[in-house]
Amino acid sequence: MASSNTYRLRCSVPGHEIDVRGLASTSFPEGAFVSVSRDRTGRVWVPNMGPNRSFTEMHCMHGHTNFVSCVCIIAPNETYPRGLIATGGNDNNICVFSLDRPDPLYILKGHKNTVCTLSAGKFGTLLSGSWDTTAKVWLNDKCMMSLQGHTAAVWAVKIFPQQGLMLTGSADKSIKLWKAGRCEKTYTGHEDCVRGLAVVNNTEFFSCSNDASIRRWHVDGECLQVYYGHTNYIYSISVFPNGQDFISTGEDRSIRIWKNGECAQTIRLPAQSVWCCCILDNGDIVVGASDGIIRVFTESDERIASAEDIKAFENELSQSTIDAKTGDLGDIKMEELPGREHLNEPGTRDGQTRLIKDGETVQAYQWSVSDSNWLKIGDVIGSSGATPQTSGRVLFEGKEYDFVFTIDVNEGGPSMKLPYNVADDPWLTAHNFLEKNDLNPMFLDQVANFIIENTKGNTVGRTETGHSDPFTGSGRYVPASAGGSSASGADPFTGSGRYIPGSGPSTVAPAGVADPFTGGSAYASNTLQSSSAPTNIYFPKTDAVKFEQANATQILAKLKELNRGAPNEQTLSDDGIQKLEKLLSTVSNLNAAEKPTTEEIEILWKTAHWPEDIVFPVLDILRLAVRHPVVNEQFYSDKDGVQFCNHLLNLMGPQGKPANQMLVLRTLCNSFAGQWGQTLLMSMRETVMSQAMQLRTVNNKNIHVALATLVLNYAGCLHKVADLEGKAQCLSMVSTILEVVQDKEAVFRLLVALGTTIGSDGTARDLAQSLGVKSQINKYSTVTDPAKLGECCKLVLNQL
C-alpha cells in the first residue's frame, strides 16, 4: 500500500454535540473505534466499505446521567465474544456495554467523584481512576480492591500486559506502580498534573503532563528520556505497535507524531483542546477535540480524503482564532512581525509555525512538508479566555469545572474559591462551599443566588473567564533474625527442630503416603503416579493448619528464668508457675479428660502482658493453649476477643521482636482450630491480614512459614464462602509474599492457599490470572526436592 510517511486527513466524523473526551480502537468490528463525549453518549464507528473513506455510526450507548469522560475496551471472552465497552463519567459511575443493546449490562458504583480514566487488562480486569484520589480494580461487576496513596485526582491509569502491574498518574504530579494492591514505586519528575499514560512494553511506559512534557520511564524508576514539543497541557498519548513511535495531543490545538525520539509531524486542528487519541490497527490516527468533531488521519495514499474535503478542513483551520494569551505562540509583539513576504521562504521542518502581520491582524501559518507550502492555521486574537467555539474548563484542586468563582466573604480577609459545573445544583454547591470553609449557613441564599446570577445563559461546556485562569481539562526496618532462622531450622524455644504443622482429618492422603503438611515420614511422590496426572491431595485445604510440636520442659525452664526479671506486680508466684505448668500439660494433650481452669487461663492472660523482651515463652504456651476449645472460647468470646486479638497484633508489629512476631503468627494460625477463634479472626480479617503482611520483609524463614500458614487458614475459611473481597485479599497476599519468600515450605503453603482460593471460584481464578501469579509460580513446577512443591505447583497451574 502506497504511503507518503506523512499523515494527512482521512475524514472528519461529526456526530457528537460537544467535546469528544475519550477514544478507543476495538477489534470488533474490524477497523472500528469507540468515542465518548460530554453529550453523555458513547458511539461505535465502523469504516465505510465503499469509496467513501469516512466512518458510520453503528451503535449509540446511553446510561450516564452526566458527562462521559473516558472509555476502554474489555477483551472478548467466552460469554462476550465481541468484547465489552466500559465508560466512565462525571456521575461517578462506570457503565459496561455490549454491542447488542444501547443500555448498560451493568453499572459499577464505588467511586465518590468523577471517573476520568479506565484501562482494561486480561481476564476481564478493569482499572479505574477518579477525582476522589483513588484507583479501583474491578473484576466483572465486583470491586476487588482500592488503590489509595495519591493526594489528588487520579487522571490516568494503565495495566501492564503481563506482570499484574498497574500504573496510576495523578494531579499530585506523581506516578505510582502497583502490584497486588500495594504501591511498589512512586515516580516523580513532572512539574504539574500527570494527564496520560501509555505502556510501551513489559518494562517501559510513557507519561504526559500539564507541564507540556512527555517522559519515558523504566519500571525500576529511571526516567529514560524527556520529550518537548507541545506548548501547553498534554492530555493524551498513544504508542504505535513498534513500541518506539507515538502520538500526543494537547491544549495547543495539535496532534504531534513522534518518530525516533523526535517530533516528526505536527497537525493543527480548528479546536483549542485536542482531548484524546487512539491508533487503529491499520496505523491510522483518530483524535477527538473540544469542537465535538472526530478526525482521522492516515499515511496511506489510498485512504486520504478527497481534495474537496482537505480544502474544507484547511478553510476551517484558517478561519479559527488563536488566543495569544494561551502562550502557545510565545510572546507576540505585533510591531516586530514581518509581512506576507515572509511566507516566500520555505520552512525548515514539518509543523514549524510562522506569524505574519496582515494589516491589523496577526495570522499563524504552519509549514507542511508533504505539500511544500505554508498552511494557515488561524488568526491570532488578544482577548483572554476561551471563545464560544472552545470548551476550556477550569482546574481547581486537580479537578475540572465550568466555573471557579472567587468569593470574598470578609473584607480584607482571604478570598475563597467556589468551583461549579453547570449541571450541578447551585443550592447543593453553595451548601458544600459553606460547609467546607466553615462559613455561617446564613450565607446559603446569597451564595446560591450569586451562582445562579453569574451562570445565566451559559450552556454546558462554556467557561467563565472573568473569575479565574482558564484550564481546559486546568531503612526498611529488618529486625534481627531470630534463632529460628538458622540453617537447620531448629526452634530456639522448644529445641525440637523445625515446627511441622499438623493437618486435620478432612484431607486424607492415599494409603502409604505421608500427609504433605505433617511430614511424619518421607513423602514419596512415586506412590501417586497411578495415572499420568498427579493426584491432588493438596487443595482445597479447608481444615486449620496448626503449629503443635513443643518441648514443654524447655518452655517452662525459660519461663522460670525470665520470671525472675519480670516487673514486681507481674512476677508469678510458685503457685502461679505450677498452674501454668499444669495448663501446659493439659493443652499439650487435647484428648485429656481434664480441662483448663478459669484461674489457669487468667494467669496465662496476665503473663501474656509481660514486657515484650521476656514474653516469648508465654506466647509459646499461648499458641498451644488456643487450640483447646475451652481456652479458644475464653480468649475469643465476644466480650474479650477483640481486646485479646489487638494485644497480639501489637506484639506482632513491624518494630517488634522477631521471636514475638513468629509466635503471634503461630498463635493466630492455631486459633483457627476453634469456632470462636475462627469467627473472630474472620470478622477482623482485613486488619489481621494487613498487619501480618508487614512482616513479609522480615528475613526469617520461620516467620515466612507462619505468615504463609495464616494466609492458608484464611483461604480455607473462605473456600465455600461468596466473599470476593476476602479472596482478593488472600490472592493479593499470596502474590506479594511470593516475591520475597525463599523458604520452600513457605512457598508450598502459599501454593496450597492459592489453589484453595481459586479451586471453586472462577472469578477468583480470573483475578489471580490478572495479578500475574502464573508467571510468579511457574519456576516451582520443576522442583523435585521436596516433590510436593513441584507437584502442587503443577496442579495450581492447571487450575489457572
Side-chain angles (χ1 to χ4, degrees):
M1 182 176 291
S3 172
S4 63
N5 293 319
T6 300
Y7 277 89
R8 292 170 291 175
L9 182 71
R10 171 178 172 177
C11 61
S12 296
V13 185
H16 287 292
E17 298 171 12
I18 47 178
D19 305 52
V20 177
R21 292 303 302 264
L23 290 164
S25 61
T26 178
S27 57
F28 184 89
E30 184 178 355
F33 63 88
V34 184
S35 62
V36 295
S37 166
R38 293 184 75 206
D39 65 10
R40 307 186 183 189
T41 69
R43 301 170 192 253
V44 180
W45 305 89
V46 294
N48 295 333
M49 301 305 294
N52 185 335
R53 303 162 183 85
S54 190
F55 288 76
T56 299
E57 181 183 314
M58 166 193 166
H59 189 51
C60 185
M61 297 164 287
H62 301 268
H64 288 280
T65 59
N66 208 323
F67 312 144
V68 189
S69 318
C70 53
V71 61
C72 74
I73 304 301
I74 300 175
N77 55 38
E78 292 182 1
T79 306
Y80 300 102
R82 299 192 295 179
L84 296 173
I85 300 167
T87 61
N90 285 45
D91 56 5
N92 309 347
N93 294 335
I94 302 166
C95 293
V96 180
F97 299 89
S98 72
L99 290 173
D100 301 321
R101 46 192 277 189
D103 58 314
L105 289 172
Y106 50 88
I107 298 177
L108 305 178
K109 297 178 179 288
H111 281 294
K112 298 177 181 178
N113 212 319
T114 294
V115 178
C116 53
T117 178
L118 293 168
S119 178
K122 291 186 173 181
F123 316 109
T125 310
L126 185 66
L127 178 62
S128 61
S130 168
W131 291 358
D132 65 10
T133 75
T134 72
K136 293 185 183 294
V137 182
W138 310 81
L139 191 60
N140 300 325
D141 59 348
K142 303 293 184 182
C143 180
M144 308 307 295
M145 59 185 71
S146 186
L147 311 182
Q148 299 182 356
H150 285 293
T151 58
V154 177
W155 276 105
V157 297
K158 273 290 181 288
I159 299 178
F160 274 90
Q162 298 295 335
Q163 305 150 289
L165 298 176
M166 298 177 178
L167 288 170
T168 56
S170 170
D172 64 11
K173 308 176 187 179
S174 74
I175 303 164
K176 292 184 181 291
L177 179 72
W178 307 81
K179 171 73 174 179
R182 183 185 74 258
C183 181
E184 295 282 337
K185 191 174 294 292
T186 298
Y187 309 84
T188 57
H190 281 298
E191 298 176 358
D192 207 334
C193 302
V194 178
R195 298 300 296 267
L197 294 166
V199 172
V200 179
N201 52 44
N202 286 336
T203 59
E204 295 180 8
F205 64 93
F206 286 112
S207 63
C208 63
S209 167
N210 281 0
D211 65 10
S213 76
I214 298 167
R215 291 175 177 259
R216 186 174 185 138
W217 303 85
H218 193 280
V219 291
D220 64 8
E222 181 183 2
C223 181
L224 303 174
Q225 192 169 351
V226 182
Y227 307 84
Y228 295 102
H230 283 278
T231 57
N232 211 322
Y233 306 139
I234 307 175
Y235 295 137
S236 69
I237 185 168
S238 293
V239 181
F240 285 101
N242 64 13
Q244 297 296 323
D245 302 332
F246 58 95
I247 60 175
S248 56
T249 68
E251 184 64 14
D252 56 6
R253 309 194 319 148
S254 76
I255 175 172
R256 298 181 188 248
I257 295 97
W258 303 79
K259 295 183 178 181
N260 300 317
E262 302 288 339
C263 182
Q265 185 180 357
T266 301
I267 301 173
R268 300 280 180 176
L269 298 185
Q272 182 66 46
S273 307
V274 189
W275 292 119
C276 49
C277 61
C278 70
I279 299 172
L280 302 181
D281 290 342
N282 61 8
D284 287 1
I285 295 169
V286 186
V287 295
S290 54
D291 60 359
I293 304 296
I294 302 166
R295 295 176 176 88
V296 185
F297 296 89
T298 185
E299 279 187 315
S300 169
D301 293 335
E302 297 179 8
R303 293 192 297 274
I304 191 173
S306 65
E308 293 79 9
D309 288 343
I310 291 177
K311 184 63 176 177
F313 172 71
E314 292 176 351
N315 288 339
E316 187 181 11
L317 187 61
S318 67
Q319 293 169 12
S320 60
T321 57
I322 305 171
D323 186 355
K325 292 187 178 181
T326 63
D328 295 349
L329 303 174
D331 295 329
I332 300 174
K333 296 181 179 180
M334 185 171 179
E335 65 276 9
E336 298 179 3
L337 292 176
R340 185 168 292 277
E341 68 280 358
H342 196 44
L343 300 179
N344 295 328
E345 302 174 11
T348 58
R349 57 181 173 79
D350 190 78
Q352 178 186 357
T353 302
R354 183 165 289 180
L355 302 180
I356 67 163
K357 181 172 59 176
D358 186 8
E360 294 301 316
T361 64
V362 175
Q363 298 176 346
Y365 285 79
Q366 177 179 290
W367 179 251
S368 171
V369 171
S370 59
D371 297 329
S372 298
N373 64 13
W374 290 98
L375 177 68
K376 184 181 178 183
I377 59 174
D379 294 320
V380 181
I381 61 173
S383 59
S384 64
T387 67
Q389 287 73 37
T390 68
S391 60
R393 307 192 72 210
V394 184
L395 181 69
F396 179 67
E397 295 182 345
K399 304 173 187 177
E400 293 177 342
Y401 296 94
D402 292 313
F403 300 84
V404 175
F405 298 110
T406 300
I407 305 294
D408 295 311
V409 177
N410 299 311
E411 186 176 354
S415 60
M416 302 173 183
K417 298 295 185 182
L418 191 163
Y420 178 72
N421 284 315
V422 293
D424 293 343
D425 182 336
W427 298 95
L428 179 60
T429 301
H431 169 77
N432 292 338
F433 169 76
L434 296 175
E435 188 175 71
K436 176 181 178 181
N437 293 283
D438 196 25
L439 297 175
N440 194 313
M442 63 176 287
F443 289 114
L444 179 63
D445 288 348
Q446 185 179 343
V447 174
N449 288 325
F450 172 86
I451 295 172
I452 294 170
E453 184 65 28
N454 283 276
T455 58
K456 282 182 178 178
N458 287 281
T459 57
V460 171
R462 292 279 302 278
T463 300
E464 177 61 52
T465 61
H467 300 277
S468 62
D469 293 332
F471 174 87
T472 52
S474 254
R476 173 167 69 93
Y477 174 70
V478 182
S481 177
S485 60
S486 62
S488 66
D491 189 89
F493 311 107
T494 65
S496 61
R498 183 182 193 140
Y499 282 175
I500 300 176
S503 178
S506 64
T507 302
V508 181
V513 180
D515 186 284
F517 291 95
T518 64
S521 60
Y523 181 71
S525 62
N526 58 357
T527 63
L528 296 177
Q529 304 303 315
S530 58
S531 62
S532 58
T535 301
N536 186 0
I537 64 169
Y538 306 110
F539 58 83
K541 181 70 174 170
T542 56
D543 55 313
V545 178
K546 302 178 289 294
F547 294 85
E548 301 192 287
Q549 290 193 358
N551 186 317
T553 301
Q554 292 196 9
I555 293 175
L556 288 170
K558 180 61 68 173
L559 178 73
K560 293 174 183 178
E561 174 190 334
L562 296 177
N563 182 53
R564 292 190 289 270
N568 291 334
E569 67 276 9
Q570 292 180 300
T571 302
L572 292 174
S573 63
D574 291 342
D575 181 63
I577 291 178
Q578 289 177 0
K579 284 185 168 56
L580 275 188
E581 183 174 1
K582 182 182 176 186
L583 173 67
L584 178 58
S585 174
T586 301
V587 300
S588 294
N589 181 12
L590 297 179
N591 295 320
E594 195 170 9
K595 295 182 179 179
T597 67
T598 300
E599 186 179 7
E600 292 168 354
I601 295 174
E602 288 177 350
I603 293 174
L604 179 60
W605 170 253
K606 175 184 175 181
T607 53
H609 290 78
W610 272 5
E612 65 174 16
D613 289 340
I614 63 172
V615 75
F616 59 85
V618 182
L619 295 177
D620 219 4
I621 298 174
L622 182 63
R623 59 103 184 174
L624 295 169
V626 294
R627 300 173 305 136
H628 196 286
V630 173
V631 180
N632 194 278
E633 179 177 355
Q634 186 74 27
F635 277 126
Y636 285 109
S637 65
D638 293 337
K639 179 181 177 181
D640 302 317
V642 174
Q643 181 183 357
F644 172 64
C645 194
N646 285 332
H647 176 63
L648 292 179
L649 296 180
N650 288 334
L651 290 171
M652 192 182 70
Q655 306 298 327
K657 301 292 183 181
N660 295 343
Q661 293 168 336
M662 176 188 67
L663 287 167
V664 167
L665 283 171
R666 291 179 172 182
T667 301
L668 293 172
C669 292
N670 287 359
S671 298
F672 280 89
Q675 177 185 351
W676 290 90
Q678 183 180 124
T679 300
L680 183 72
L681 289 175
M682 288 298 290
S683 71
M684 296 184 65
R685 169 186 53 77
E686 187 172 350
T687 300
V688 173
M689 294 182 78
S690 296
Q691 291 196 221
M693 186 68 158
Q694 299 179 56
L695 301 183
R696 69 187 185 280
T697 55
V698 178
N699 186 25
N700 184 301
K701 293 180 180 180
N702 285 335
I703 287 178
H704 286 168
V705 172
L707 181 58
T709 307
L710 180 65
V711 179
L712 173 55
N713 284 348
Y714 268 113
C717 290
L718 291 164
H719 176 64
K720 291 295 185 180
V721 179
D723 183 355
L724 282 176
E725 184 179 347
K727 293 178 181 179
Q729 190 176 19
C730 283
L731 292 173
S732 176
M733 286 190 70
V734 169
S735 176
T736 303
I737 300 170
L738 280 170
E739 294 180 356
V740 295
V741 72
Q742 300 294 325
D743 182 77
K744 291 181 179 179
E745 180 63 26
V747 173
F748 168 70
R749 297 182 186 208
L750 290 171
L751 290 175
V752 176
L754 177 57
T756 300
T757 304
I758 67 175
S760 61
D761 193 323
T763 302
R765 182 169 60 251
D766 290 344
L767 180 60
Q769 291 172 324
S770 70
L771 291 174
V773 295
K774 190 172 183 179
S775 60
Q776 287 182 293
I777 68 173
N778 195 56
K779 60 184 177 183
Y780 298 113
S781 62
T782 57
V783 173
T784 56
D785 184 19
K788 67 179 183 181
L789 179 56
E791 291 178 352
C792 184
C793 181
K794 291 176 183 177
L795 291 166
V796 175
L797 288 172
N798 288 339
Q799 291 286 328
L800 293 171

